[in-house]
C-alpha cells in the first residue's frame, strides 16, 4: 500500500460514520467471531453508507471480551464497549449515547435477521422520513422460521402491548432496530429499563411523542441455541408494562417536553398535528355527553321544569365532558392543573348555558305551549353550536398540553454522507440533521458536536471503547 493510500484510509476511518451497528453480547465467545466477520464483510461489500460495528459486552464471564478485542484489532471500523453489569438495554444505552454516528442500530449476535433488511431499515432514517425503524416478524409479508411456542409467546406479548399501552407497532422484541442518534439522545434518559423491556419502553415513548416508526418485514430464522429465560423475561416484561402504564396514566413522564424536543411539525400550515384525531375523539365524547344530557333532561324536566333541568343536566355533563376530553381527546394525564382545567371548562360551560337557555327562552316566548319534543329539538340544535364553541375553547385551554414541535423546530432534513469526498486540506463531515448543518473538521470535534445533551449515566457501567482507525 502506498503512503497516499494509507493516508486516505486513515482519513476515511477517522470520520464519523453514518451508521453505528451495535451488537450486544453476553458469553458469546463461540459465535461472536463468525457474526462480526460476516457483518463486517457485508458492510464492506457495497453497502452505500459508512458504518461502524460496536461490540457491546455486558459483563461476560467467558472469553467474549478477549475475542471482541481481537476482532477490533483485526478488522477496521470495529469497536468494543465493555460494561461491568448485565443487561441488553444497559449495553445499548451506553453504546448509543457515546456514538458519533448519525444513525445507531442494533442486531442480535446470532444474526437471525437476513442482513438484506439492513438498508431498508436505516434508509428512512438517513433520508429524514422516519425517526425509528424496527424489523417485524409479525407482518404478513415477513418470512419466519421458529417453533410454535415462541410464535405464540411473541404474538400474545404484542397483543398485550396493544391492549394495555395502545401500541401501534407490530413487533416490540425483534432484535433488529435503528434510530436517529439525535432522537435516541432525547428518548434514552426517559427509558428506565436496562434489560429486555428496554425495546418496548423506547418504542412506546417514541410513539407517544409523535415520532414516526418505520417497520420492515424481515426474513428471520430462530436460533435454537437461544439462552433467553422466557419465564423470567415475561415476568419482568409484565412489571415493565405495569410501571409504564402507571407512568403514562399519572403524567409522570414529561411527554410534552419530549414532543417539543423531537416531535414533528404540522404537515399543513394552520392545521396542528393531531387535530383530526382530536376532532374524532371530541365527537365521540360529545355524542356520549349528549346522550347523557338527554337522559338527565328527561328525568329532571318534570321536577325542575325546562330551565332547571337544562341547567342541572348541562352542569353534570360539562364536568364529565371536561374530564373525558382532558384525558381522552387531548391526552392530558395526572392531576396537575386539573382544577384549573375544570374551572376554565365551566367558563366555556357558561357560554353553553347562555346559548341553550337563550334558545329555550326564545322558544317559550314565541311558542309558550310547545311540547317537550320541540324543546328537546331546539336544545339539541343549540347544543351543537355550544359543542363547536366548546371544542375551540378546550383546544385553547389545553393549548400547552401535548404541544408538538411545529412552532419551534424546522423540518427534518436528510443526513448527507460526504465521507467519500477527497479533501487534501482537511477532513470534513457535513451532517444535515433537523434542518441545521453541522460541519466537523476532525473526528474529535465530530464526537463532541454530536453529543450536545446531558445523558443519563449508569453507575454500574464502565465503558472501554477501542476502535481501530
Amino acid at each position: 500500500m502506498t503512503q497516499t493510500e494509507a493516508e486516505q484510509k486513515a482519513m476515511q476511518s477517522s470520520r464519523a460514520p453514518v451508521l453505528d451497528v451495535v451488537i450486544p453480547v453476553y458469553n458469546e465467545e463461540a459465535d461472536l467471531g463468525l457474526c462480526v466477520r460476516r457483518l463486517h464483510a457485508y458492510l464492506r461489500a457495497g453497502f452505500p453508507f459508512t458504518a461502524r460495528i460496536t461490540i457491546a459486552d455486558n459483563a461476560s464471564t467467558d472469553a467474549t471480551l478477549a475475542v471482541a478485542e481481537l476482532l477490533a484489532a483485526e478488522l477496521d471500523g470495529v469497536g468494543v464497549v465493555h460494561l461491568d453489569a448485565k443487561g441488553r438495554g444497559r449495553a445499548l444505552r451506553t453504546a448509543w449515547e457515546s456514538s458519533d454516528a448519525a444513525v445507531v442500530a442494533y442486531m442480535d449476535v446470532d444474526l437471525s435477521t437476513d442482513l438484506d433488511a439492513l438498508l431498508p431499515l436505516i434508509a428512512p432514517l438517513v433520508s429524514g422520513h422516519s425517526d425509528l425503524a424496527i424489523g417485524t416478524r409479525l407482518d404478513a409479508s415477513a418470512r419466519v422460521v421458529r417453533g410454535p411456542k415462541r410464535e405464540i409467546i411473541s404474538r400474545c406479548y404484542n397483543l398485550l402491548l396493544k391492549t394495555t399501552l395502545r401500541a401501534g407497532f407490530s413487533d416490540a422484541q425483534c432484535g433488529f432496530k435503528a434510530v436517529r442518534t439525535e432522537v435516541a439522545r432525547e428518548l434514552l434518559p426517559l427509558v428506565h429499563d436496562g434489560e429486555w423491556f428496554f425495546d418496548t419502553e423506547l418504542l412506546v415513548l417514541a410513539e407517544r411523542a409523535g415520532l414516526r416508526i418505520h417497520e420492515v418485514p424481515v426474513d428471520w430464522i430462530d436460533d435454537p441455541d437461544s439462552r433467553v429465560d422466557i419465564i423470567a423475561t415475561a415476568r419482568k416484561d409484565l412489571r415493565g408494562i405495569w410501571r409504564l402504564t402507571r407512568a403514562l396514566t399519572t403524567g409522570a413522564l414529561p411527554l410534552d417536553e419530549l414532543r417539543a424536543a423531537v416531535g414533528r411539525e404540522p404537515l399543513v400550515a394552520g392545521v396542528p398535528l393531531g387535530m383530526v384525531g382530536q376532532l374524532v375523539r371530541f365527537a365521540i365524547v360529545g355524542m356520549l355527553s349528549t346522550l347523557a344530557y338527554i337522559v338527565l333532561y328527561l328525568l329532571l324536566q318534570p321536577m325542575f321544569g325546562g330551565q332547571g333541568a337544562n341547567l342541572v343536566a348541562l352542569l353534570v355533563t360539562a364536568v364529565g365532558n371536561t374530564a373525558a376530553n382532558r384525558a381522552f381527546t387531548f391526552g392530558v394525564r395526572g392531576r396537575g392543573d386539573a382544577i384549573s382545567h375544570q374551572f376554565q371548562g365551566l367558563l366555556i360551560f357558561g357560554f353553553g348555558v347562555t346559548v341553550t337557555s337563550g334558545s329555550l327562552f326564545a322558544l317559550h316566548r314565541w311558542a309558550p305551549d310547545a311540547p317537550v319534543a320541540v324543546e328537546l329539538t331546539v336544545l339539541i340544535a343549540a347544543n351543537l353550536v355550544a359543542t363547536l364553541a366548546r371544542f375551540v375553547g378546550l383546544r385553547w385551554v389545553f393549548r400547552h398540553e401535548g404541544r408538538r414541535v411545529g412552532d419551534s423546530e424546522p423540518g427534518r432534513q436528510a443526513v448527507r454522507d460526504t465521507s467519500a469526498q477527497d479533501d487534501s486540506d482537511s477532513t470534513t463531515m457535513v451532517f444535515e440533521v433537523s434542518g441545521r448543518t453541522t460541519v466537523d473538521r476532525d473526528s474529535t470535534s465530530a464526537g463532541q458536536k454530536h453529543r450536545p445533551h446531558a445523558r443519563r449515566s449508569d453507575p454500574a457501567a464502565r465503558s472501554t471503547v477501542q476502535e481501530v482507525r
Side-chain angles (χ1 to χ4, degrees):
M1 180 182 294
T2 67
Q3 183 177 6
T4 302
E5 290 174 337
E7 290 174 350
Q8 289 178 348
K9 183 175 180 180
M11 181 183 298
Q12 174 79 10
S13 61
S14 67
R15 296 188 176 109
V18 171
L19 174 65
D20 192 349
V21 182
V22 178
I23 302 176
V25 291
Y26 173 73
N27 288 351
E28 296 286 355
E29 61 179 1
D31 298 328
L32 182 58
L34 179 63
C35 160
V36 172
R37 287 189 175 89
R38 178 183 164 196
L39 177 59
H40 185 271
Y42 181 87
L43 293 174
R44 295 297 182 269
F47 192 73
F49 301 110
T50 55
R52 175 196 300 130
I53 301 172
T54 299
I55 305 168
D57 172 50
N58 49 120
S60 293
T61 57
D62 63 0
T64 296
L65 179 59
V67 173
E69 290 172 341
L70 288 174
L71 290 169
E74 173 189 342
L75 304 173
D76 63 295
V78 175
V80 180
V81 176
H82 174 69
L83 292 86
D84 290 335
K86 286 181 61 177
R88 181 179 70 172
R90 182 176 289 110
L92 291 175
R93 185 201 315 280
T94 302
W96 283 357
E97 285 181 336
S98 62
S99 178
D100 58 354
V103 174
V104 288
Y106 93 88
M107 59 181 64
D108 291 335
V109 68
D110 54 21
L111 297 185
S112 294
T113 304
D114 185 3
L115 291 178
D116 285 339
L118 183 58
L119 182 56
L121 186 80
I122 70 163
L125 308 185
V126 175
S127 69
H129 175 272
S130 300
D131 304 296
L132 295 89
I134 64 173
T136 175
R137 301 160 294 184
L138 303 182
D139 187 89
S141 60
R143 297 188 299 178
V144 177
V145 178
R146 61 176 168 179
K149 179 181 178 181
R150 286 185 175 272
E151 180 74 14
I152 293 172
I153 291 174
S154 178
R155 291 189 178 275
C156 287
Y157 177 71
N158 284 282
L159 179 61
L160 182 62
L161 294 181
K162 293 181 184 297
T163 304
T164 57
L165 294 169
R166 294 183 293 154
F169 46 85
S170 64
D171 192 350
Q173 293 288 29
C174 181
F176 194 68
K177 294 181 176 68
V179 56
R180 292 169 67 93
T181 306
E182 59 172 356
V183 172
R185 291 194 179 114
E186 298 290 348
L187 290 173
L188 289 175
L190 302 179
V191 179
H192 293 281
D193 192 84
E195 299 183 21
W196 295 99
F197 192 69
F198 173 89
D199 299 54
T200 301
E201 192 168 359
L202 181 76
L203 291 175
V204 170
L205 288 173
E207 199 169 56
R208 294 302 179 95
L211 297 175
R212 181 174 287 167
I213 301 175
H214 176 71
E215 297 200 355
V216 179
V218 297
D219 296 339
W220 196 86
I221 300 177
D222 188 23
D223 178 15
D225 189 39
S226 176
R227 282 160 280 178
V228 177
D229 188 333
I230 296 178
I231 301 300
T233 301
R235 187 164 50 246
K236 292 177 181 178
D237 284 343
L238 290 175
R239 286 201 296 264
I241 291 173
W242 166 250
R243 173 179 55 78
L244 190 54
T245 301
R246 184 175 56 187
L248 291 170
T249 303
T250 60
L253 290 170
L255 293 180
D256 296 336
E257 291 82 351
L258 185 59
R259 292 188 189 103
V262 295
R264 289 179 172 266
E265 63 182 24
L267 187 61
V268 179
V271 181
L273 265 179
M275 185 173 179
V276 176
Q278 288 177 355
L279 279 169
V280 173
R281 294 190 293 272
F282 180 83
I284 294 173
V285 173
M287 286 189 292
L288 295 176
S289 298
T290 301
L291 290 175
Y293 169 84
I294 292 172
V295 172
L296 285 172
Y297 182 84
L298 292 175
L299 291 175
L300 297 174
Q301 198 273 345
M303 294 182 287
F304 301 105
Q307 292 287 5
N310 174 60
L311 180 63
V312 175
L314 271 177
L315 180 61
V316 172
T317 54
V319 173
N321 184 283
T322 299
N325 277 309
R326 183 177 187 269
F328 180 59
T329 303
F330 299 101
V332 182
R333 299 290 187 267
R335 300 177 181 178
D337 295 327
I339 296 177
S340 173
H341 292 158
Q342 281 290 353
F343 176 75
Q344 295 175 80
L346 287 176
L347 292 179
I348 300 172
F349 155 76
F351 175 79
V353 170
T354 301
V355 173
T356 55
S357 297
S359 62
L360 199 59
F361 175 80
L363 175 65
H364 288 165
R365 185 177 179 84
W366 293 330
D369 298 326
V372 173
V374 175
E375 286 184 350
L376 196 57
T377 302
V378 171
L379 287 172
I380 290 174
N383 263 301
L384 290 176
V385 176
T387 297
L388 180 59
R390 184 172 184 79
F391 178 74
V392 175
L394 287 178
R395 275 192 62 84
W396 181 85
V397 169
F398 301 113
R399 63 194 182 281
H400 297 306
E401 308 295 339
R403 170 180 279 183
R404 307 284 178 129
V405 73
D407 55 356
S408 61
E409 180 181 320
R412 284 164 172 71
Q413 301 294 327
V415 177
R416 188 173 72 213
D417 177 16
T418 61
S419 59
Q421 296 178 354
D422 183 13
D423 188 342
S424 59
D425 297 327
S426 63
T427 302
T428 304
M429 285 293 294
V430 179
F431 284 101
E432 293 180 345
V433 182
S434 296
R436 59 183 181 274
T437 302
T438 302
V439 181
D440 294 339
R441 294 297 175 185
D442 53 59
S443 60
T444 303
S445 62
Q448 294 170 346
K449 291 179 182 179
H450 284 278
R451 288 192 288 272
H453 305 291
R455 297 186 298 276
R456 173 178 167 179
S457 61
D458 190 335
R462 176 180 58 83
S463 303
T464 303
V465 181
Q466 298 178 348
E467 183 156 350
V468 178
R469 298 297 185 185

